[in-house]
Amino acid sequence: MSAAPANAAPAAALRPALPGDVPLLAAIAMTAILELTGEDYDERQQEAWADAFADEEALAERLADRLTLVATRAGEPVGFIALAENTIIDLLYIRPEVAGEGVATLLCVAIEKLATARGAKSLTVDASDTALAFFQARGYVARQRNTVQRGGEWLGNTTLEKKLTAETPAPG
């Protein structure tokens, strides 16, 4: 058995979200939006989008009927994903310092497997321009372009869909 390279990121663990996680999840989403989306959205758009997560009560209500998984490292949340109606990836955010280290992939693979096990034939996601390439690399296909309003600002995103099969392992 070989050891992981010294510079390899520590593995992340997954667990279900707990009601007490809401402040941490809101902070992860806001930080991700403000620090990771600057190439695709201007400052006003980023602030309007991030402000949607400032209302922790609304986020708690939103997550209440979703299957939400939290990725942790050393017990600290570093990302989360929420599945709505067993067919929609509603939220996927990771801390900027773990971007590119496989946390989003780990979350996505897990939610795809859970949705498949629960009978879903496909998943859809309204991906930000920042997340578009990530989802396309995972086999999601663009279906339509959207504009959504957040805090008086218009933001573009793309609805993508991935067909799920029990036999085919998820890429990535």
Side-chain angles (χ1 to χ4, degrees):
M1 184 167 161
S2 63
N7 62 349
L14 294 178
R15 65 168 174 78
L18 305 170
D21 289 333
V22 170
L24 288 169
L25 302 185
I28 289 170
M30 290 170 31
T31 303
I33 292 162
L34 295 173
E35 294 184 24
L36 297 175
T37 66
E39 290 185 20
D40 301 299
Y41 301 95
D42 67 34
E43 193 173 313
R44 289 188 329 271
Q45 290 172 313
Q46 288 176 294
E47 288 174 3
W49 182 6
D51 281 350
F53 289 93
D55 184 345
E56 293 176 9
E57 188 174 310
L59 179 59
E61 287 178 24
R62 183 174 181 177
L63 295 177
D65 67 348
R66 284 154 175 71
L67 172 61
T68 305
L69 299 177
V70 177
T72 62
R73 284 204 177 144
E76 293 297 316
V78 293
F80 70 101
I81 191 167
L83 180 67
E85 302 171 18
N86 200 47
T87 59
I88 303 163
I89 296 176
D90 183 40
L91 302 167
L92 173 60
Y93 292 97
I94 59 164
R95 293 177 65 137
E97 60 269 23
V98 302
E101 295 180 4
V103 173
T105 298
L106 178 71
L107 287 162
C108 215
V109 166
I111 218 73
E112 289 169 2
K113 286 180 181 178
L114 286 167
T116 300
R118 297 165 119 200
K121 302 297 183 212
S122 67
L123 284 178
T124 60
V125 62
D126 287 343
S128 69
D129 293 350
T130 305
L132 184 59
F134 168 80
F135 283 106
Q136 288 175 320
R138 294 206 42 72
Y140 289 75
V141 177
R143 296 293 181 221
Q144 72 181 37
R145 186 75 178 147
N146 311 299
T147 51
V148 294
Q149 192 171 38
R150 299 282 183 264
E153 294 293 324
W154 290 98
L155 291 86
N157 70 28
T158 303
T159 300
L160 299 111
E161 181 180 24
K162 180 178 182 175
K163 301 293 183 194
L164 301 174
T165 60
E167 304 82 37
T168 307

